[in-house]
């Protein structure tokens, strides 16, 4: 019997399916199902990222779903049972959506923060170019990282996925647990934000203490957050909630206390601090502190990984030189060692770079377009290599892609400043370069993980590479529309005086827009000035801002023009990237607040705490990090009682249940967004009641409902059966 736990030497290793066998693999049904699941998990991962600034690896749940779906179709219609290699193709194609979702969600919303519209064609083009480029750049590294360093680079998530596929031939409780979590998470989310049986948020202000009345404890009743907390574990969850507690119980009350007697507006605020709510203080002051903390945390994570980065680059050069003398012709290689020909990889990469230079993605002269394309190639290959190597050590979920994107932005902007390229179009170029590199490095790491899975189960590399190219292309095309739909569903337009600038717009505005039958001029303010915060304003004939168009992603208003409450997506990375671009290229930045945040991150790192996790906690509201912490506590209890090893936890009942909660809750969030778009339908299914213009009255209490959900997760994690991860025999 040959298993994934064979000899560590690559030359002695025998995969689960020997090279001498050629079962069905790259079939139409496998690629189609993988692409479909890639779209589904890509959309849910994008929603999750916008909600909590992170995603969860999709490979294992997609593999479980592939096994279950194919088995169900076989039993229902008498179709041929899928092979393990077909299931591997499904998870390979399906994993691309999640990695693209991270890059799109982290970078593209920054367009609006820089004053541009969120254009579908641009998002789609960046997604396609970044996704395909990352895969093509990883292909020449497969033998260096996967084959030559087998046993040295464990690829923990890729290995776990291979184990799931190996035992998947027998079916069992893992698939049922994922579907249980999927249904429960989706139903809970719909009852909360769709049918509104209970409130989405619990909130309590700390009163009775003079000077501390702006301290608020809040929790978002969201199954996706509970699932995320369980998967990331108690340590990181505790660090994140620590950052949230610092913001809600220290920074906001402290700013309120010292600003109570300030008689004037203190930039970048828009009103006197004494007149601000806790949410407004957080949005207009603490957000910049959080951005500085996230920037410093990302740089520190890169510095921590610097020895690994240097080693990966040197190792890649040595490994590539070592395989130059190998027989590269397909006829001279076994099935399990055949990649897409390097000539096609080179031509494909060259074609993508040419498309970047020729497209309107980089809106400048030919020299600027070529320079942008060359920067993408340079930074792209650098960070795809780094990402693939780091994924081999710590897995894709912990891969510091944000740090690599920050480094790309810093280097790109510094180069542009040195060349004197500081105009508005160069901000767009810098973001486009960083976005493509971000998606490429994210997808490169995911591709290396998938190829490790294929190496263990005995897949044909070129067939896997074709599958992930198709999956990436399909997911990339859909991702732009999903991002725009989520943004539009939560965009608000307000004419309340407290939301509008106290200064007139500059003369000479030419862009116009129509609202409620009236044509207005559009004022795009990308940096704060005295009397006005950044945003998009509709200006009347007297040159006075009449409306603010507040985006659903990165917006600051929590109400509509009528005063009705609304929610916003505020992931940390887009604000951070926009801040870096503006800060370097124009200098219009509240550097004092940003530096305060950077110092916080440095102190956390010196104290032995993950600076990046702590910084994300500072940036995100406590209502987001608190349910994540509860999920981490559930994981702590389960680990103490069941004593799973790290490998066993990858496929434990609790992990499968948490994965289902994330997928179900995230997909329900997409459906709920449709209820916001179709307002009449949303009102028809709304079971909350509003009396005398007061706050909504709900049927069930929020804390009791969330406690029940957490209890179900705990029971399943403690009592569920964890299936073995080794097959009894090879097929």
């Amino acid at each position: 019997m040959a298993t994934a736990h064979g000899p560590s030497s690559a030359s002695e290793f025998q995969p689960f399916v020997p090279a001498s066998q050629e079962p069905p693999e790259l079939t139409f049904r496998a690629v189609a199902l993988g692409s479909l699941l890639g779209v589904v998990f890509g959309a849910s991962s994008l929603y999750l990222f916008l909600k909590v600034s992170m995603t969860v690896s999709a490979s294992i749940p997609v593999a479980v779903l592939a096994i279950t779906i194919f088995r169900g179709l076989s039993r229902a219609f008498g179709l041929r049972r899928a092979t393990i290699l077909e299931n591997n193709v499904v998870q390979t194609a399906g994993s691309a959506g999640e990695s693209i979702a991270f890059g799109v969600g982290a970078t593209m919303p920054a367009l609006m923060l820089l004053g541009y519209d969120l254009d579908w064609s641009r998002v789609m083009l960046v997604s396609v170019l970044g996704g395909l480029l990352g895969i093509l750049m990883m292909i020449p590294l497969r033998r260096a990282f996967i084959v030559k360093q087998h046993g040295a680079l464990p690829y923990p998530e890729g290995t776990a996925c291979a184990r799931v596929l190996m035992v998947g031939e027998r079916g069992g409780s893992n698939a049922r647990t994922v579907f249980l979590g999927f249904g429960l998470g989706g139903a809970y989310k719909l009852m909360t934000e769709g049918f509104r049986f209970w409130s989405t948020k619990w909130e309590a202000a700390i009163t009775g203490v003079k000077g501390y009345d702006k301290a608020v404890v809040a929790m978002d009743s969201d199954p996706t957050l509970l699932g995320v907390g369980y998967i990331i574990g108690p340590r990181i969850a505790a660090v994140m909630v620590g950052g949230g507690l610092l913001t809600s119980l220290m920074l906001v009350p402290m700013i309120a206390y010292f600003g109570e007697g300030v008689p004037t507006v203190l930039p970048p605020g828009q009103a006197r601090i004494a007149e601000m709510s806790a949410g407004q203080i957080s949005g207009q002051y603490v957000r910049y502190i959080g951005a500085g903390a996230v920037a410093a945390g990302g740089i520190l994570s890169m510095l921590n990984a610097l020895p690994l980065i240097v080693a990966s680059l040197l190792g890649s050069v040595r490994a590539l030189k070592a395989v130059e003398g190998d027989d590269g012709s397909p006829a001279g290689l076994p099935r399990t060692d055949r990649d897409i020909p390097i000539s096609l990889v080179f031509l494909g990469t060259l074609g993508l770079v040419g498309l970047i230079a020729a497209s309107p993605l980089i809106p400048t002269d030919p020299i600027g377009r070529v320079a942008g394309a060359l920067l993408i190639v340079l930074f792209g290959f650098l960070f795809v290599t780094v990402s693939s190597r780091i994924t081999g050590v710590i897995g894709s979920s912990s891969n510091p892609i944000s740090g690599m994107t920050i480094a790309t932005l810093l280097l790109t902007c510094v180069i542009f400043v040195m060349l004197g390229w500081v105009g508005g179009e160069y901000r767009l170029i810098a973001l486009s370069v960083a976005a493509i590199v971000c998606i490429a490095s994210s997808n490169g790491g995911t591709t290396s993980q998938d190829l490790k899975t294929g190496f263990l189960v005995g897949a044909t590399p070129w067939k896997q590479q074709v599958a992930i190219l198709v999956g990436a292309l399909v997911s990339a095309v859909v991702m732009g529309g999903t991002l725009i739909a989520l943004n539009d569903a939560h965009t608000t337009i307000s004419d309340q005086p407290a939301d509008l600038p106290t200064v007139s717009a500059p003369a000479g505005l030419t862009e116009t827009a129509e609202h409620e039958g009236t044509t207005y001029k559009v004022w795009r303010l990308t940096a704060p000035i005295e009397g006005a915060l950044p945003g998009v304003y509709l200006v009347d004939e007297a040159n006075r801002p009449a409306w603010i168009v507040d985006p659903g992603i990165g917006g600051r208003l929590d109400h509509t023009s009528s005063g009705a409450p609304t929610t916003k997506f505020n992931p940390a990375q887009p604000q951070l990237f926009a801040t870096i671009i503006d800060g370097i290229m124009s200098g219009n930045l509240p550097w004092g607040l940003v530096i305060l945040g950077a110092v916080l991150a440095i102190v956390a790192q010196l104290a032995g705490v993950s600076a990046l996790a702590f910084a994300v906690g500072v940036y995100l509201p406590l209502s987001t990090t608190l349910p994540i912490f509860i999920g981490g506590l559930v994981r702590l209890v389960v680990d103490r009682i069941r004593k799973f090893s790290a490998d066993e936890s990858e496929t434990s009942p609790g992990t499968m249940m948490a994965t289902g909660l994330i997928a179900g809750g995230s997909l329900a969030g997409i459906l709920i967004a449709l209820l916001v778009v179709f307002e009449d339908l949303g009102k028809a299914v709304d079971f909350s009641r509003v009396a005398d213009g007061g706050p909504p009255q709900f049927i069930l209490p929020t804390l009791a409902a969330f406690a029940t959900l957490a209890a179900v997760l705990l029971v399943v994690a403690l009592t569920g059966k964890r299936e073995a991860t080794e097959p009894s025999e090879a097929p």
Side-chain angles (χ1 to χ4, degrees):
M1 179 188 73
T3 73
H5 291 279
S8 60
S9 171
S11 61
E12 299 176 3
F13 174 78
Q14 294 297 320
F16 187 79
V17 178
S20 59
Q21 298 181 12
E22 295 193 32
E25 186 172 1
L26 189 66
T27 59
F28 174 80
R29 65 176 186 173
V31 176
L33 179 60
S35 299
L36 176 61
L37 291 177
V39 170
V40 171
F41 275 86
S44 63
S45 294
L46 180 59
Y47 176 85
L48 177 63
F49 179 84
L50 295 176
K51 191 80 173 177
V52 299
S53 295
M54 65 175 64
T55 61
V56 178
S57 177
S59 294
I60 291 177
V62 170
V64 172
L65 291 174
I67 295 167
T68 306
I69 291 172
F70 277 145
R71 178 169 297 159
L73 292 175
S74 176
R75 291 173 178 174
F77 302 103
L79 301 177
R80 175 183 58 80
R81 184 175 176 177
T83 68
I84 187 174
L85 299 188
E86 284 181 298
N87 289 327
N88 180 56
V89 163
V90 174
Q91 75 83 18
T92 299
S95 65
E98 177 266 329
S99 58
I100 292 175
F102 174 86
V104 170
T107 57
M108 287 293 95
L111 284 170
M112 296 179 292
L113 302 175
L114 292 173
Y116 299 94
D117 289 327
L118 194 60
D119 180 68
W120 176 82
S121 62
R122 175 173 293 276
V123 178
M124 187 268 293
L125 191 57
V126 166
S127 304
V128 170
L129 294 173
L132 299 184
L133 203 59
I135 298 168
L136 291 176
M137 287 182 170
M138 173 56 208
I139 291 174
L141 300 173
R142 185 192 68 85
R143 292 185 187 177
F145 287 167
I146 308 300
V147 179
K148 298 293 183 180
Q149 299 191 54
H150 175 62
L153 294 178
Y155 284 95
E157 292 170 351
T159 301
C161 188
R163 292 172 178 172
V164 169
L165 289 170
M166 291 174 186
V167 302
E169 302 293 299
R170 299 194 301 267
S173 61
N174 277 346
R176 291 193 295 271
T177 305
V178 171
F179 277 113
L180 172 63
F182 187 91
L184 184 60
Y188 186 99
K189 188 82 170 180
L190 285 173
M191 286 189 290
T192 302
E193 297 187 31
F195 303 137
R196 293 170 64 84
F197 285 121
W198 58 86
S199 175
T200 60
K201 183 177 291 186
W202 171 83
E203 184 175 288
I206 299 177
T207 58
V209 181
K210 185 178 180 181
Y212 201 66
D213 56 325
K214 295 296 174 65
V216 177
V217 178
M219 185 183 72
D220 195 349
S221 176
D222 194 324
T224 61
L225 303 178
L226 182 68
V228 167
Y230 188 94
I231 289 178
I232 67 176
R235 173 62 178 169
I236 297 299
V239 171
M240 290 182 66
V241 81
L245 290 172
L246 179 74
T247 294
S248 295
L249 303 186
M250 180 180 172
L251 294 180
V252 170
M254 187 169 64
I255 292 173
Y257 180 81
F258 289 112
E260 179 72 26
V262 177
T264 59
V265 175
L266 183 65
Q270 195 176 9
R272 292 180 57 246
I273 292 177
E275 300 170 353
M276 288 182 169
S277 66
Q280 290 173 324
I281 292 174
S282 179
Q284 298 180 27
Y285 292 102
V286 180
R287 172 177 291 186
Y288 289 100
I289 297 176
V294 173
I299 293 172
L300 288 171
S301 71
M302 286 290 294
L303 293 177
N304 285 336
L306 191 59
L308 180 60
I309 292 172
V310 173
S312 75
L313 290 174
L314 296 177
S316 298
V317 172
R318 288 194 297 266
L320 286 173
K321 287 182 178 179
V323 301
E324 282 179 356
D326 293 352
D327 183 359
S329 64
L333 293 174
R335 175 186 61 81
T336 53
D337 200 24
R338 299 177 186 173
D339 294 293
I340 292 177
I342 194 65
S343 57
L344 292 180
V345 172
F346 177 77
L347 290 175
T349 303
L350 191 62
L352 290 175
V353 173
L355 181 59
I356 293 171
S359 71
L361 189 63
I362 301 179
T364 184
D365 55 39
I367 296 178
R369 292 186 176 188
V370 172
L374 291 177
L375 287 175
I376 288 171
V377 172
L378 175 63
F379 295 140
F381 186 74
L382 170 66
F383 289 120
V384 165
T385 303
V386 170
S387 176
S388 300
R389 180 63 180 260
I390 292 179
T391 298
V393 177
I394 61 177
S396 62
S397 295
S398 302
N399 197 357
I401 301 296
S402 293
M404 300 178 201
T405 309
I406 290 171
T408 302
L409 267 181
L410 290 173
L411 293 171
T412 303
C413 289
V414 167
I415 291 172
F416 284 4
V417 170
M418 292 173 61
L419 295 174
W421 296 352
V422 294
E425 70 273 17
Y426 291 105
R427 287 179 169 83
L428 188 56
I429 296 173
L431 181 61
S432 298
V433 169
I436 294 176
V437 171
C438 178
I439 296 172
S441 55
S442 178
N443 226 18
T446 298
T447 302
S448 64
Q449 174 182 282
D450 292 333
L451 292 175
K452 179 66 173 184
T453 301
F455 177 75
L456 296 175
V457 302
T460 308
W462 75 264
K463 293 181 180 180
Q464 265 195 289
Q465 292 154 9
V466 169
I468 197 168
L469 284 169
V470 174
L473 181 61
V474 173
S475 296
V477 171
V478 175
M479 209 62 66
T482 304
L483 182 69
I484 292 173
L486 288 171
N487 178 70
D488 291 347
H490 295 273
T491 294
T492 54
I493 301 179
S494 173
D495 63 348
Q496 295 189 24
D499 303 328
L500 297 173
T502 57
V503 296
S504 298
L509 298 174
T510 57
E511 184 182 356
T512 61
E514 187 171 313
H515 180 64
E516 294 189 350
T518 303
T519 300
Y520 298 91
K521 293 181 179 179
V522 179
W523 180 23
R524 298 181 182 274
L525 182 61
T526 59
I529 61 175
E530 186 174 355
L533 289 175
V536 178
Y537 301 97
L538 304 183
V539 179
D540 59 22
E541 294 180 352
N543 237 31
R544 298 288 302 178
W547 299 87
I548 176 175
V549 182
D550 198 54
I553 304 173
R556 64 177 183 270
L557 300 186
D558 58 2
H559 55 271
T560 63
S561 181
S562 62
T566 185
T567 57
K568 299 289 184 181
F569 296 109
N570 282 299
Q573 287 86 344
Q575 177 69 56
L576 170 61
F577 298 155
T579 299
I580 289 173
I581 293 173
D582 266 337
I584 295 177
M585 300 183 75
S586 70
N588 293 323
L589 180 72
W591 282 107
L593 296 177
V594 174
I595 293 172
L596 286 174
V599 172
L600 275 179
I602 293 172
V603 170
Q605 190 71 34
L606 292 175
V609 174
S610 170
L612 189 56
F614 182 77
V616 170
V618 171
Y619 186 88
L620 294 174
L622 179 62
S623 60
T624 297
T625 56
L626 189 55
I628 291 176
F629 177 64
I630 293 174
L633 289 181
V634 174
R635 172 69 174 270
L636 178 64
V637 173
V638 173
D639 287 349
R640 291 287 177 87
I641 295 176
R642 301 203 69 171
K643 295 181 171 58
F644 285 139
S645 67
D647 286 344
E648 290 172 333
S649 293
E650 290 287 346
T651 54
S652 68
T655 301
M656 293 292 116
M657 178 74 171
T659 299
L661 288 176
I662 292 171
S666 300
L667 289 177
I670 302 294
L671 297 177
I672 291 165
L674 296 177
L675 296 180
V676 176
V677 175
F678 300 100
E679 189 174 351
D680 292 339
L681 177 60
K683 291 180 179 179
V685 298
D686 187 349
F687 285 85
S688 65
R689 295 291 179 266
V690 178
D692 301 325
Q697 302 295 318
F698 298 97
I699 298 175
L700 298 173
T702 302
L703 288 182
F706 191 76
T708 301
L709 181 66
V712 172
L713 174 60
L714 177 63
V715 169
V716 171
L718 288 176
T719 62
K721 177 183 177 183
R722 190 192 73 83
E723 297 180 3
T725 57
E726 295 294 339
S728 58
E729 60 183 13

